[in-house]
Amino acid sequence: MATIEHCLYCFEALSASLEKRTPMTLYQVQTSWAAYPKGLDEEDEEEQPELESSDSSPPSDNESGKPSSSLPVPRNPTLERLSGPSSGTSTPASSSSSSLTPSTNNTTPSSSSASFVPIGLHPRRSSQRSSNITESPLFVTWNTVSSNQKSLRGCIGTFEPQPLNSGLSSYALTSALQDHRFSPIRLSELPSLEVSVTLLTDFETARDAMDWELGVHGVRISFYARNKRYGACYLPDVAPEQGWDKEETIVSLMRKAGWGGRREKWSEVGDLKVVRFQGAAESVGWEEYRAWREWVEKGEEKAK
């Protein structure tokens, strides 16, 4: 599964490229994030009442290194808004999608925009997922976040397994700078961005166009029409975010691929093949990336 570290690494690759500096490696990002003081997260908050109600429990150190107190801790509204890892499946009404690109045989999604509930600033969090994956098919999605809107800014991925240390940085830059539907992302845009990483797993050939589960599977289709083969795909979170049923999802995919037939005729195209797959996304916004990066820079300065 994708992790916070994977997202930070994508931000690092793009930021370093635009700033003309050498980026950190994935290993350096992972090692740094493990040492980064993250403060309280949801799990700590849930355990807090037990600590507060126990008069006999001795003070213990929390993750930030500060002794905990037996006195009641004021509630932090920011903590109460925290909804866990920001991902394509847990952020309300976020949107991402993808389709095959003729020039590279990779996949890119169509442009989309949807309202969502921003979680705002939140405590620095520990990674909610551990991952020993070193190679995987993947997608990197960039979104512009402003007010109550999240808009697609670029997304390119591949179904071929990629070493994560090179694949994530490569597709982070490709999706940010070479998605033909958008102008290249500029340095001044970084503070408005969010990055989402999806590692794809469990590819299976479906029996038919309906042999997949909403909210679980992403779908990749290919078919013939007018002596031409078409293809497109959606990541697992797209259909639920758009409120589509299975048929609406397939028809939308066919439209994205370039099919212009009548909707009721969708099942009559030739050699319709469907591959289903899974993949949980993880997302990180600029503020979280920048806070971590400033901590790294301070450490580098002290080491000099």
Side-chain angles (χ1 to χ4, degrees):
M1 292 184 177
T3 65
I4 295 172
E5 294 94 316
H6 295 152
C7 298
L8 292 173
Y9 182 50
C10 289
F11 249 127
E12 173 68 6
L14 178 58
S15 178
S17 175
L18 296 176
E19 294 171 356
K20 310 300 182 184
R21 61 176 174 82
T22 302
M24 297 171 67
T25 65
L26 177 58
Y27 176 77
Q28 289 172 326
V29 171
Q30 291 170 326
T31 302
S32 173
W33 182 255
Y36 179 55
K38 304 170 185 66
L40 293 172
D41 58 20
E42 271 193 308
E43 183 176 349
D44 297 317
E45 185 186 14
E46 291 173 358
E47 295 175 354
Q48 189 65 44
E50 295 181 8
L51 294 174
E52 294 171 2
S53 62
S54 176
D55 296 332
S56 60
S57 298
S60 60
D61 291 343
N62 58 29
E63 289 186 61
S64 64
K66 297 180 180 179
S68 59
S69 172
S70 60
L71 295 175
V73 178
R75 300 292 292 177
N76 187 332
T78 302
L79 282 177
E80 296 182 2
R81 291 199 303 271
L82 181 59
S83 58
S86 174
S87 69
T89 55
S90 61
T91 301
S94 62
S95 178
S96 61
S97 54
S98 34
S99 63
L100 297 177
T101 57
S103 59
T104 63
N105 200 33
N106 295 328
T107 57
T108 63
S110 63
S111 176
S112 61
S113 176
S115 61
F116 78 117
V117 180
I119 62 174
L121 298 177
H122 51 71
R124 292 165 289 192
R125 53 201 167 116
S126 57
S127 183
Q128 302 299 305
R129 300 169 181 154
S130 60
S131 175
N132 296 320
I133 299 174
T134 59
E135 184 176 284
S136 177
L138 58 90
F139 276 79
V140 178
T141 303
W142 295 99
N143 292 308
T144 298
V145 181
S146 61
S147 186
N148 291 326
Q149 290 285 320
K150 180 188 291 187
S151 303
L152 184 67
R153 189 62 179 84
C155 179
I156 294 179
T158 177
F159 290 99
E160 295 298 324
Q162 302 290 311
L164 296 187
N165 58 348
S166 59
L168 284 173
S169 60
S170 175
Y171 280 93
L173 294 177
T174 301
S175 60
L177 306 175
Q178 299 179 29
D179 189 325
H180 63 85
R181 298 161 300 168
F182 306 96
S183 61
I185 289 176
R186 303 181 304 275
L187 180 62
S188 61
E189 292 182 74
L190 289 180
S192 68
L193 294 181
E194 172 196 80
V195 67
S196 179
V197 173
T198 308
L199 304 185
L200 310 183
T201 63
D202 301 297
F203 288 86
E204 301 171 304
T205 300
R207 294 188 300 270
D208 53 54
M210 299 294 113
D211 183 27
W212 56 281
E213 186 175 345
L214 285 166
V216 174
H217 297 109
V219 183
R220 182 184 186 183
I221 67 169
S222 63
F223 59 94
Y224 272 108
R226 297 180 180 178
N227 298 319
K228 180 181 177 182
R229 177 161 285 279
Y230 296 83
C233 87
Y234 278 143
L235 297 178
D237 56 342
V238 175
E241 289 173 355
Q242 299 301 320
W244 295 330
D245 61 24
K246 291 182 181 180
E247 182 173 328
E248 289 171 328
T249 302
I250 295 298
V251 173
S252 177
L253 267 177
M254 294 174 70
R255 296 292 191 211
K256 181 190 300 197
W259 179 70
R262 295 170 59 184
R263 174 171 177 164
E264 60 270 21
K265 298 289 186 179
W266 71 267
S267 61
E268 298 179 10
V269 299
D271 194 26
L272 176 60
K273 296 180 180 179
V274 178
V275 174
R276 65 190 188 189
F277 57 90
Q278 298 183 44
E282 181 65 87
S283 300
V284 163
W286 167 260
E287 292 297 332
E288 188 166 10
Y289 163 75
R290 190 60 211 162
W292 163 78
R293 194 67 178 81
E294 288 175 350
W295 177 83
V296 171
E297 291 168 357
K298 289 179 181 178
E300 291 173 346
E301 291 176 0
K302 290 181 180 180
K304 291 181 180 179

